[in-house]
Amino acid sequence: MRLKSYRTAALAAVLTLAAAAPGWAQVKVGVVDFQQALLATAEMQKEASKLEQKYKPDQDRLEALSQELQGIQSKLQSASAEDAARLQLEGQEKQREAQRLTEDLQADIDFDRQQILEGGAQRMRAVIDELRASKALDLIVDVSSTLSYNSALDITSDATAAYDAKHPAAAE
């Protein structure tokens, strides 16, 4: 009995809300691809380039180690038993060095990238809030949490442009 009265009350509340819906003010919504907007900024492009340059020597060293390992592999195919043992040890050492370098490089890149993105994300959130106010929007949602939307609601490029205007990438 109690369940039936609860259902009746819930149905009455839904019908009341539905009847009142036409009287509500229209909600203005914008959709943004936050990640794309952030990564497309001049600042993030510049930071990506700086990261690439910063870690280029380590990446070059990894490539050199890979070539050395390939050289050792080809020598192993025609090596005597005595040389083969030495080459295998040398190859194992190079493999361990490459593994350590790969892990360290990945950890360093991940750390730097995370630091850059965290700062940029904070600035982008502030820019998007200012954009919401300037466009008189009530709500901005991220495209990742949206199933479907009219592309006219997309303000991703506006967010990138507003970010670039507010936070220009400094020339070095």
Side-chain angles (χ1 to χ4, degrees):
M1 185 82 155
R2 182 180 267 169
L3 182 60
K4 188 174 182 178
S5 64
Y6 174 72
R7 283 186 187 160
T8 304
L11 181 58
V14 168
L15 290 174
T16 302
L17 288 175
W24 288 353
Q26 186 175 4
V27 177
K28 295 181 183 176
V29 178
V31 178
V32 68
D33 185 331
F34 187 87
Q35 184 176 4
Q36 179 184 340
L38 179 61
L39 294 179
T41 64
E43 180 183 26
M44 291 300 121
Q45 296 293 316
K46 183 177 180 182
E47 290 296 331
S49 179
K50 284 171 48 178
L51 275 182
E52 190 175 312
Q53 290 303 313
K54 178 179 179 179
Y55 292 109
K56 185 164 181 12
D58 290 334
Q59 291 171 336
D60 291 346
R61 177 64 186 138
L62 266 176
E63 190 174 316
L65 281 170
S66 176
Q67 290 173 354
E68 289 176 37
L69 282 166
Q70 288 175 355
I72 290 170
Q73 284 291 354
S74 27
K75 288 178 187 176
L76 267 172
Q77 293 174 355
S78 61
S80 66
E82 200 175 284
D83 287 339
R86 180 185 56 76
L87 286 170
Q88 283 181 334
L89 281 175
E90 185 179 339
Q92 288 172 351
E93 287 176 23
K94 298 282 183 195
Q95 186 67 39
R96 279 192 297 272
E97 182 181 354
Q99 182 67 31
R100 277 193 305 271
L101 183 57
T102 299
E103 290 171 359
D104 290 347
L105 180 60
Q106 191 61 51
D108 290 346
I109 289 172
D110 288 348
F111 178 79
D112 284 351
R113 183 179 293 139
Q114 187 64 31
Q115 295 291 20
I116 291 165
L117 290 175
E118 282 178 10
Q122 287 176 349
R123 290 186 295 278
M124 180 59 83
R125 278 190 282 281
V127 166
I128 288 174
D129 192 46
E130 291 171 8
L131 193 58
R132 181 197 53 76
S134 72
K135 290 185 171 282
L137 298 172
D138 298 308
L139 175 69
I140 296 179
V141 295
D142 188 73
V143 71
S144 67
S145 62
T146 307
L147 296 175
S148 179
Y149 64 95
N150 182 333
S151 62
L153 299 175
D154 192 334
I155 61 166
T156 301
S157 60
D158 296 339
T160 300
Y163 186 101
D164 284 343
K166 185 162 182 151
H167 304 285
E172 287 184 16

